Structures are given as C-alpha cells and as structure tokens.
Amino acid sequence: MGKRYCFYCRDCDLKLTLFEDVCKNSKNKVCKIYCSNCEEIIFQSKCRECGEESKKIISIPKTIELKTEETETIECPKCTSFKTVITFLGEWD
C-alpha cells in the first residue's frame, strides 16, 4: 500500500509516475533516481535497462502528500525547469 503521484514538466513534456512508500523496510524507499537515457524512474544509481549511472533524485515534498491540487516546487530532472506539476493520483495496493 502506498501513494501514487503524476509528475509532469510543462517545458519538456516529461511525464512520470512516482510511487511513495515502496519497499517500506528497504533503503530503496527513499531513492527515486531519474535515468535521462531511458526517461524512467529507477531505484538504484545504475539503470538496469541501459547501464547508465545517474545521480538525479526525485522526491515528493511532504507538504503535498495528501493534496490533489497541482504544485510547482520540484525541479525537472530532464531540463531543470521549475515549471512542473505534481498531482496526487490516490492510494494503491
């Protein structure tokens, strides 16, 4: 069980789904790393698909945990714009 968010950048059209509370008892819970080559969120510093090392971590601010409105506070990992939208999509099993 956890929370699901949609991350969207208005400048470069990057769209990702972010999951919170994944692997609660694991160190993977806090690491959501963006692979610029595959344009996906990975949970290790090295992408399993392409082998690229990445350091760009995306995390959901605690202030929007239960809100459904849009927030422009996270830097886009692809184009470094702050014109991003995060929307709470709901709980998942």
Side-chain angles (χ1 to χ4, degrees):
M1 186 90 179
K3 296 174 183 73
R4 190 166 48 109
Y5 297 88
C6 176
F7 175 91
Y8 177 72
C9 178
R10 295 177 186 159
D11 279 348
C12 69
D13 291 329
L14 177 69
K15 186 174 183 181
L16 302 167
T17 300
L18 301 175
F19 294 93
E20 286 293 304
D21 298 328
V22 175
C23 304
K24 262 190 170 178
N25 296 323
S26 171
K27 61 185 174 185
N28 289 346
K29 176 189 167 204
V30 294
C31 294
K32 291 174 185 61
I33 301 170
Y34 173 72
C35 175
S36 57
N37 192 37
C38 297
E39 293 194 355
E40 292 180 359
I41 295 292
I42 58 178
F43 295 98
Q44 297 174 341
S45 61
K46 188 173 184 178
C47 181
R48 289 181 183 175
E49 294 296 318
C50 67
E52 181 177 304
E53 291 279 339
S54 186
K55 304 288 184 211
K56 296 179 180 181
I57 297 175
I58 299 177
S59 61
I60 302 295
K62 298 298 179 192
T63 56
I64 66 159
E65 242 179 51
L66 299 174
K67 296 180 182 178
T68 54
E69 63 263 17
E70 300 172 350
T71 308
E72 296 184 36
T73 55
I74 295 182
E75 180 182 10
C76 177
K78 183 178 179 182
C79 70
T80 65
S81 168
F82 279 96
K83 293 182 180 176
T84 58
V85 175
I86 298 175
T87 307
F88 178 66
L89 299 176
E91 302 280 334
W92 61 277
D93 294 330

